[in-house]
Amino acid sequence: MRRGREDLGSLHAAPPPRWARFAPAVALVGLCLAQWLTPGDIELGFFLAALPAVAAFSYGALGTAVFAALVLVLLAFPGLGVGHAQGSDLATVATVGLLSVVIALVRRRRDAQLVSVRSVAEAAQLAVLPPVPKRVGPVRCAGLYRAAQRGTLVGGDLYDVRAGPYGVRAVVADVQGHGLAAVGTVVALLGAFREAVLDDGELTGVAARLDRRLTSDTAAECTPHPELFATAVLLEFPPGLDLVRIVSCGHPPVLLLRDFEASEVEVEPGPPLGLGLAGPNAPPAVTELPLRPGDRLLAYTDGVTEARDPAGHFYPLAARVPVLAGDAAGLVPAVWRDLAAFTGGGPRDDVALLLLSPCAETVPS
């Protein structure tokens, strides 16, 4: 699975851009040349005093000290034709240089601490929502996740694919709210799903367990969400059967891609999870869909279909999937690129896409 963290979700601090590293040196040379080419009564050399402070934003303490020393030499020796600093002026420039070195030293230490903290945060978030493997049992998987909150890997959406004694099961869900506030609910739902894959023989039992998990969290006094709910779709590929079972809990319909035509799988939607209605007294309906060789199923969250272009039109996922299905990079990355272009930079909501190909030997992803 390609999470696509290399461009949007990476939490590691980026090095300063090249122009920031070259700027102090270019300014140093430029000011010296300008001073040498201008009449003697115009002094530009004192602008050099600001260069150590500029260097402190992109260089370490040693590099900043080198710039500060160069500035002092250029201003202290009139024979160089750049400046004529003396006495208190020279002391002021030296003080600025020394403070710039201290700033560079503190900045480097803070950057190192920030990288450490972000690395720990990234590891924790990836432990919550690890990448989906390329293949789970007889099902080939491809997924993509984009959190709406910048600098995070996990938001209010979730997906997972697990193999168990009752076949391969998958879940795609959208928790109320998004960003870090919803991560606790995401963790609870994923834990309940992974237990249900092993313990519950019926797909409705998996939905009931997820519903009980949210209902219990809502009733807890410590919960920050008095009306917590989530939409979800559950899929099950039973062993030895060419079909998929689907349970929808208020979630957008799954798309069936067959012969490069996309259609919504008709299911009887049940209520969202967390309302206490998915128990034994009101189990959600199970839809069985026979599968043919080459069929693919695309589950997604409403961050995809509710994304808008500048004119306010919704993204037409079902219409775009057949067009993008032949992309050499894969359907899921192609949908994300198309969605980002449609919205002019990407949607503002959490986005999750999960493509399941039960005939992995013959189906390209």
Side-chain angles (χ1 to χ4, degrees), residues 35-135:
Q35 182 63 65
W36 292 332
L37 296 176
T38 54
D41 56 342
I42 299 179
E43 288 231 9
L44 301 176
F46 282 103
F47 287 105
L48 294 173
L51 292 186
V54 175
F57 288 99
S58 52
Y59 287 87
L62 180 60
T64 304
V66 170
F67 273 99
L70 287 174
V71 169
L72 281 174
V73 170
L74 290 171
L75 295 180
F77 294 93
L80 297 177
V82 177
H84 305 81
Q86 295 180 354
S88 60
D89 292 336
L90 199 58
T92 301
V93 174
T95 302
V96 172
L98 179 61
L99 291 176
S100 300
V101 171
V102 173
I103 291 172
L105 182 63
V106 173
R107 182 189 62 80
R108 277 296 176 90
R109 289 182 177 177
R110 290 291 180 90
D111 286 350
Q113 292 174 353
L114 182 60
V115 169
S116 177
V117 170
R118 287 181 168 179
S119 297
V120 172
E122 182 174 0
Q125 292 179 71
L126 287 176
V128 170
L129 195 65
V132 173
K134 293 183 178 179
R135 184 164 178 161

Side-chain angles (χ1 to χ4, degrees), residues 332-349:
V332 169
V335 170
W336 171 252
R337 291 195 304 270
D338 190 59
L339 179 62
F342 180 85
T343 57
R348 298 182 179 179
D349 196 4

